[in-house]
Amino acid sequence: GGGGGGGQGARGGGRYAEVVRVADEGPRMYLVEGFASAEEVEHVKKSAEPFLTPSNPGTVTGMRYELPIDGDPVLEGIRKRMMDMFPALDAPPQATFRVRRYPPDGSYHPLHVDHFKSGDGSELVLTIMLYLSTPSQGGETYFPKAAGGQGLAFSPIAGNVAAWWSVHDAGRAAGERDPRTLHEGRPIKKGVKWNATYFVYARREAMMRQAATEPAGAGRTPRP
C-alpha cells in the first residue's frame, strides 16, 4: 500500500506517471510504472552496449559501463525526470548512469547497501534504477529487511523505475546509513536483465529538507 510519494514532478506535458510509495513501514521506497518509453530504453542500451566490460572479473555481477549523460538530449531528459520525482532535493546533477547487463547464467548482485560518503562532504543518499529489459524469470531487486521486515521485491519490467533512500529520514538516526535498505539483484534464470542506475549525492541537510517536504499523497512525474 502506498504512503507518501516523491513529489508532483515538473509542469509540462499532459501525461504523468504516478510516483507510488510501495511500503508504509521502513525505508522510503517508490515505484514508477511506465517511467520511460520503449525508444528511451533502447537508446540507453544501444549507447552503452559497445562499452560494457565485466563488473569485477571473476565475479557474477554481469557487465557494466558508466554511461555519460551530458550532451545526449535523451539521457539528459531521463535524468531530469528522475530528479523531478524529488523536487525539493537540492542535489547536483551526476554525470553518468551505471548501466548493467546480467546474462541468464545465474548472474546476480550480492547483498549491499547503496551508501557512500564522497570527499566533498556529500553522500550517496538516493538510488533511482530504470529497468531496461523484462527477463522471463528472476532478476528481482529484493530488500529482505524492508516493509517492516517482511521483505519487498521490485520486478524488473522495462520502462519502470524503482527508487529508494539509503539513509534514515527521521529520529535520532536521521541522515545515517539505513541498514534496512540492504538489497540484492536476484539471479537471472531466463532472459537478460538490463538496468541503468542513477546515484544521487547530496549533503545531509539537503536530504533532511527533502524529507520534511514529502507530500502525503502519491506524487507524479512527467511521462516521456
Side-chain angles (χ1 to χ4, degrees):
Q8 289 301 313
R11 299 288 175 195
R15 298 181 305 149
Y16 286 85
E18 295 296 324
V19 181
V20 178
R21 184 163 176 175
V22 294
D24 293 323
E25 282 190 76
R28 292 172 294 157
M29 305 170 69
Y30 311 91
L31 173 66
V32 185
E33 296 181 323
F35 175 91
S37 68
E39 292 77 17
E40 287 176 320
V41 164
E42 285 306 306
H43 180 82
V44 175
K45 289 162 67 174
K46 286 180 180 176
S47 299
E49 191 161 28
F51 306 103
L52 290 169
T53 55
S55 296
N56 297 294
T59 68
V60 289
T61 53
M63 312 278 281
R64 66 179 263 188
Y65 176 59
E66 295 291 334
L67 178 63
I69 297 171
D70 295 331
D72 184 314
V74 174
L75 302 181
E76 289 175 348
I78 293 171
R79 176 177 61 188
K80 182 180 186 307
R81 295 206 315 279
M82 284 179 168
M83 290 310 298
D84 284 345
M85 292 168 60
F86 303 94
L89 180 63
D90 179 17
Q94 299 299 309
T96 64
F97 291 123
R98 180 168 299 169
V99 179
R100 288 188 184 269
R101 179 185 184 275
Y102 299 87
D105 59 1
S107 290
Y108 71 99
H109 206 96
L111 285 164
H112 64 288
V113 173
D114 294 338
H115 183 245
F116 178 79
K117 293 186 178 182
S118 71
D120 66 359
S122 64
E123 301 176 44
L124 197 176
V125 296
L126 175 64
T127 301
I128 306 176
M129 179 181 289
L130 170 61
Y131 295 106
L132 303 172
S133 68
T134 309
S136 307
Q137 190 177 355
E140 298 88 358
T141 309
Y142 178 59
F143 296 74
K145 297 182 179 182
Q150 298 176 53
L152 187 149
F154 291 105
S155 296
I157 298 174
N160 283 8
V161 151
W164 59 91
W165 293 87
S166 296
V167 290
H168 288 280
D169 64 329
R172 283 185 297 177
E176 299 293 333
R177 180 180 187 267
D178 188 346
R180 300 171 301 172
T181 62
L182 185 78
H183 61 282
E184 65 181 345
R186 284 178 164 169
I188 309 299
K189 297 177 180 175
K190 285 186 182 176
V192 175
K193 177 183 175 182
W194 285 80
N195 56 39
T197 306
Y198 186 66
F199 295 110
V200 180
Y201 285 77
R203 294 187 180 275
R204 187 168 295 189
E205 56 270 22
M207 186 280 297
M208 297 304 296
R209 282 197 299 270
Q210 160 67 33
T213 62
E214 210 161 279
R220 303 187 303 167
T221 192
R223 288 190 187 276

